Amino acid sequence: MDRKTEILKEFWGFDSFRPLQDEIIDSVLNGKDTLALMPTGGGKSLCFQVPALVEDGVCLVISPLIALMKDQVKNLRKRGIKADAVFSGMHYKEIDRIIDNAVYGDTKLLYVSPERLQTDILKERIKKMNVSLLAIDEAHCVSQWGYDFRPAYLNIPEFRKLIPYTPLLALTATATPDVVDDIQEKLAFKPEAGIFQKSFGRSNLSYSVFQEENKRVKLFDILSKVKGSGVVYAGTRRKTKDIAVYLYRKGISAEFYHAGLTPDQRSKKQDDWISGKIRIMVATNAFGMGIDKPDVRVVVHMDLPNNLEAYFQEAGRGGRDGKKSYSVLLYSPKDKSTLEKQYEQSFPESGEIKRVWQALGSKYQLAIGAGKGDSFDFDLIPFCETYSLDIVKTHSALKILEQDGWLTLSEAVHLPPTVKFIVEKEALYDYQLKNKKLDKPIRRILQTYQGGYNRLIPLKNMGRLAGSLKWSQEHLIKALEILHRDEIIEFRPAKDKPQITFLRERRGANDLQLNKERYDFRKERHFFRMNKAISYAETPICRSKQLLAYFGETESDACGICDVCTGRNQSEFKGDEFERLKTKILRLLKRENLNTEEILEAFAPKWEVKLLKVIQYLYEEGILLMDKEDKFSLGKE
Ligand code: ADP
Ligand code: MG
């Protein structure tokens, strides 16, 4: 057995690697830059976790979501692997200690959120760190061509220069061909990189699109026919609740889920759904990340997402166990105008962006020239209420500020309360003598956390600490607050709010320069992706073929199980009619350019209506071009 397989067995208990894991790991171990394209659930994490254990030193992992980082760190530790994470909102001392452990200790994997890469502390100490591998998870985030661009990812190439001999592994589950190229360029891939792509085809997943006026009735119909666990995605928080109630009243076990619920509510609902206590989860797109439930039989979208990357990820949560499953999109022409409206709102004017910027300045009282690198709690809704701002537009404005590199927003994270003693031992002793009541918690903390005198102590279990004093938690918190006020300790209460981090020195709204070119570019890309999603819903071609073509697999066969292939689609095309007409039109145009009339003449009259649809489709897709005389010719391809 080779070393990597031994490690797989020893730490994970798995007998063999899945397709491509092997090859990817070898490529990394041979010191090559490597790109791994694998669908969600394909097992990307092991592709850097195993090499991390094979080699000496630390594997640095860049990941965009704090929740996912924490999850992975927890899982690794459970297996006895030393792992840590550094992200915004953590106390400086804590970051300091963790990075030190990576330099001098035996940390094997260090997860870092991308905006931390430009901090001096990391840039300085990385030079002393023995970094075996730089892994970039969700690597599509580095590309402005992609649907989930995160500007902090652009710190990676600069950062990489500090460890020029370390190989890089980029991983993603959703990348169109243009994004794949861009990733390699942006991450400064070295020549002779290894590129590995697992097909995104899912032979057990039947995709369908149904044109429906009354979506709820159709939903009920689907959930009555397909047995087993399911997810229903809806576009707004409000709808998730309404639909769950509707289903519940009709006798289907359902719950709703969105980011506005408390962490406790969310984890309870999620657990109930995973264990099967609840059959259907009605959710916004906040649901599903990092959830690994194999037996999801049906995923229904009540609203069309504004890009196929998101649709593919969400629909792909069905049938991970390889058994037959259904992913259904309920579509009505109204969805198109909804998306178009959202598109408008996603790109507010610069005046509106400046207003949001100004409000942030007042809220955090940032002086001009200060604020770089500072993180604060941030809650969108109260913020908008305080400054009378429109929520949707403010959200879009923040996104634009983020994409332009002014700030980053992270999701809510739970951080435990921390305590640090800030007086000399004698002074503390003095204080204990004078304050008999507060002597108790001081002694208990110092006993519980050995060697805790000079360091930052995360109080991970307040309940137990309070219990051991026979106090209530509130009582303990009061005591800590008094100690803080008396400048004996520095006490920071627990946090569970999203964080906003300012990335540049504060400027006045008038000096806030937004990059117009980039703004226009992203607007154009957004428009492009949105239209691709609409076209998916409206085009009667094998759904699987359409999705795969979008991700660059142009040679796939018709799946045989989607609504189009099985003829369940209510559009007038039967079987492979659409494909046949398309092929014939293309053949005609290969010979000479023709106008619509001339094309129609080449077919029997009964095909007219269908031909017009096919021609329109081919034209909109850019497969056909039209010249000045209204004649069609073949486009680039
Ligand atoms: P991805 O990041 O590609 O979405 P993950 O790395 O989260 O996927 O892995 C998905 C699941 O597959 C995890 O539960 C993981 O333990 C499991 N898995 C990965 N590789 C193997 C393997 N070789 N054998 C068995 N299970 C595996
Ligand atoms: Mg992953």
Side-chain angles (χ1 to χ4, degrees):
M1 219 193 273
D2 57 1
R3 188 78 191 109
K4 63 176 191 290
T5 317
E6 273 171 20
I7 283 174
L8 180 73
K9 183 101 186 102
E10 181 184 338
F11 288 92
W12 281 271
F14 300 149
D15 288 323
S16 59
F17 286 105
R18 289 196 182 148
L20 286 194
Q21 282 181 329
D22 232 338
E23 290 88 332
I24 293 166
I25 293 170
D26 283 342
S27 170
V28 166
L29 292 176
N30 284 328
K32 284 195 193 169
D33 285 352
T34 305
L35 175 60
L37 299 152
M38 270 188 178
T40 308
K44 288 185 288 299
S45 323
L46 282 184
C47 298
F48 54 83
Q49 290 169 343
V50 170
L53 295 181
V54 172
E55 301 199 272
D56 287 337
V58 190
C59 169
L60 275 192
V61 188
I62 315 301
S63 175
L65 284 177
I66 299 170
L68 289 186
M69 291 202 301
K70 287 173 78 171
D71 209 44
Q72 293 208 3
V73 168
K74 200 172 82 194
N75 278 323
L76 288 166
R77 287 186 181 163
K78 237 175 20 203
R79 300 178 193 284
I81 300 165
K82 291 251 160 56
D84 258 316
V86 167
F87 45 83
S88 298
M90 279 170 78
H91 193 283
Y92 176 82
K93 291 273 172 196
E94 185 74 352
I95 294 180
D96 188 61
R97 182 185 63 78
I98 289 174
I99 295 181
D100 247 21
N101 265 345
V103 176
Y104 304 106
D106 48 3
T107 307
K108 291 307 296 176
L109 291 112
L110 177 62
Y111 287 76
V112 181
S113 58
E115 76 282 353
R116 293 286 104 188
L117 292 177
Q118 54 169 332
T119 55
D120 293 336
I121 175 169
L122 195 65
K123 284 202 297 210
E124 270 313 308
R125 269 183 268 175
I126 191 77
K127 294 174 197 153
K128 293 194 207 125
M129 213 183 279
N130 176 15
V131 185
S132 58
L133 172 65
L134 179 60
I136 317 296
D137 209 359
E138 314 294 346
H140 57 274
C141 293
V142 78
S143 176
Q144 303 207 41
W145 290 81
Y147 76 112
D148 193 15
F149 170 56
R150 295 181 189 236
Y153 264 63
L154 293 178
N155 293 323
I156 297 171
E158 261 318 293
F159 182 80
R160 202 185 170 188
K161 289 189 190 144
L162 304 171
I163 41 170
Y165 303 110
T166 305
L168 181 146
L169 169 62
L171 312 110
T172 175
T174 42
T176 50
D178 41 14
V179 173
V180 168
D181 290 344
D182 200 31
I183 289 174
Q184 294 172 62
E185 195 194 313
K186 290 283 154 32
L187 295 179
F189 262 58
K190 303 212 174 97
E192 291 176 37
I195 316 285
F196 299 89
Q197 172 151 24
K198 196 171 165 205
S199 168
F200 284 18
R202 300 282 308 276
S203 58
N204 63 315
L205 204 57
S206 156
Y207 298 101
S208 294
V209 180
F210 294 123
Q211 295 256 359
E212 284 301 329
E213 287 305 321
N214 196 335
K215 294 185 178 184
R216 284 188 193 184
V217 172
K218 183 72 182 175
L219 173 66
F220 177 71
D221 187 41
I222 293 167
L223 297 181
S224 308
K225 281 187 193 133
V226 182
K227 301 287 169 238
S229 181
V231 187
V232 176
Y233 282 106
T236 63
R237 293 178 180 184
R238 172 88 196 266
K239 274 196 204 170
T240 63
K241 186 170 178 185
D242 292 350
I243 295 167
V245 169
Y246 167 80
L247 291 175
Y248 187 75
R249 292 210 176 118
K250 305 265 284 175
I252 290 180
S253 141
E255 259 292 1
F256 65 98
Y257 183 106
H258 55 67
L261 302 169
T262 67
D264 285 349
Q265 287 171 323
R266 272 185 285 165
S267 67
K268 165 121 185 30
K269 289 182 185 213
Q270 185 174 310
D271 291 346
D272 285 352
W273 178 77
I274 287 174
S275 70
K277 228 189 207 166
I278 291 165
R279 190 183 145 210
I280 305 295
M281 186 68 95
V282 188
T284 60
N285 59 8
F287 181 71
M289 266 287 194
I291 295 174
D292 198 16
K293 184 170 166 66
D295 58 345
V296 178
R297 296 277 73 88
V298 56
V299 178
V300 181
H301 279 78
M302 302 296 280
D303 299 293
L304 175 62
N306 63 14
N307 63 78
L308 285 179
E309 286 91 335
Y311 181 72
F312 183 77
Q313 290 264 13
E314 289 159 13
R317 301 214 160 100
R320 291 272 173 81
D321 56 6
K323 295 188 186 144
K324 179 91 190 257
S325 305
Y326 297 87
S327 289
V328 183
L329 167 65
L330 301 182
Y331 182 72
S332 77
K334 230 176 50 203
D335 291 352
K336 190 172 166 178
S337 44
T338 309
L339 284 187
E340 283 163 355
K341 202 171 127 214
Q342 280 170 9
Y343 164 70
E344 291 303 327
Q345 288 180 326
S346 297
F347 294 92
E349 314 229 325
S350 76
E352 286 169 302
I353 300 171
K354 285 182 176 169
R355 266 185 65 202
V356 171
W357 181 249
Q358 219 141 22
L360 287 172
S362 338
K363 174 165 170 67
Y364 298 112
Q365 313 245 308
L366 295 176
I368 303 286
K372 182 176 170 181
D374 291 347
S375 291
F376 303 91
D377 289 353
F378 180 75
D379 243 347
L380 180 64
I381 293 166
F383 174 71
C384 291
E385 277 163 4
T386 311
Y387 296 96
S388 322
L389 297 164
D390 175 76
I391 292 176
V392 177
K393 282 202 177 141
T394 303
H395 183 255
S396 306
L398 289 167
K399 275 265 166 255
I400 288 167
L401 287 166
E402 179 168 46
Q403 306 233 309
D404 240 28
W406 294 93
L407 49 83
T408 62
L409 289 169
S410 73
E411 80 274 25
V413 291
H414 179 77
L415 289 170
T418 57
V419 160
K420 184 171 189 290
F421 288 91
I422 51 174
V423 287
E424 296 294 322
K425 279 197 172 133
E426 294 75 40
L428 178 65
Y429 186 62
D430 228 32
Y431 184 86
Q432 284 174 289
L433 286 178
K434 284 186 197 134
N435 299 275
K436 278 274 169 289
K437 268 206 159 146
L438 293 167
D439 171 49
K440 247 174 96 181
I442 293 173
R443 264 192 304 156
R444 183 51 49 87
I445 290 172
L446 288 173
Q447 276 163 9
T448 315
Y449 302 93
Q450 295 287 327
Y453 190 73
N454 276 316
R455 68 181 177 94
L456 184 83
I457 308 168
L459 301 177
K460 292 209 169 108
N461 199 332
M462 278 288 244
R464 197 186 310 152
L465 188 64
S468 75
L469 293 163
K470 302 208 167 56
W471 285 5
S472 70
Q473 262 197 69
E474 291 71 41
H475 195 113
L476 176 59
I477 290 173
K478 276 260 159 57
L480 294 173
E481 279 166 359
I482 295 169
L483 288 169
H484 181 89
R485 193 200 58 203
D486 291 349
E487 295 179 354
I488 300 299
I489 62 170
E490 215 174 74
F491 169 60
R492 286 166 195 267
K495 281 190 192 177
D496 57 0
K497 290 275 190 306
Q499 299 289 303
I500 190 166
T501 306
F502 291 92
L503 297 177
R504 299 189 197 164
E505 271 132 33
R506 173 87 193 151
R507 288 184 208 179
N510 288 331
D511 299 328
L512 180 76
Q513 271 162 29
L514 297 168
N515 187 321
K516 176 89 170 72
E517 220 171 291
R518 249 183 288 165
Y519 177 97
D520 290 341
F521 175 72
R522 280 193 297 264
K523 196 166 170 180
E524 193 184 299
R525 290 293 298 173
H526 185 117
F527 188 71
F528 171 82
R529 282 192 298 270
M530 177 184 82
N531 282 317
K532 285 284 184 187
I534 293 169
S535 155
Y536 170 79
E538 296 187 348
T539 308
I541 295 183
C542 168
R543 305 294 171 193
S544 167
K545 265 181 94 102
Q546 290 193 64
L547 289 170
L548 293 178
Y550 184 70
F551 293 111
E553 293 180 47
T554 45
E555 299 293 303
S556 65
D557 293 325
C559 70
I561 54 173
C562 71
D563 60 324
V564 181
C565 287
T566 56
R568 271 180 292 129
N569 188 277
Q570 294 154 346
S571 90
E572 57 274 60
F573 292 94
K574 295 197 187 64
D576 61 351
E577 273 175 8
F578 187 93
E579 287 289 318
R580 280 208 333 260
L581 294 176
K582 175 178 153 192
T583 313
K584 197 157 170 208
I585 294 173
L586 296 181
R587 214 182 298 135
L588 285 170
L589 291 173
K590 214 170 194 167
R591 266 186 267 135
E592 56 178 329
N593 295 356
L594 300 171
N595 64 26
T596 309
E597 286 303 309
E598 290 163 340
I599 295 175
L600 294 181
E601 275 165 23
F603 293 81
K606 67 162 183 172
W607 293 109
E608 181 173 329
V609 177
K610 289 179 184 175
L611 277 168
L612 290 174
K613 291 219 160 163
V614 178
I615 294 169
Q616 187 192 348
Y617 165 77
L618 293 171
Y619 179 62
E620 281 171 0
E621 285 293 295
I623 299 169
L624 300 188
L625 306 174
M626 196 190 274
D627 66 14
K628 284 194 214 89
E629 292 152 44
D630 287 350
K631 289 197 186 231
F632 290 106
S633 61
L634 294 181
K636 294 175 247 48
E637 263 190 318

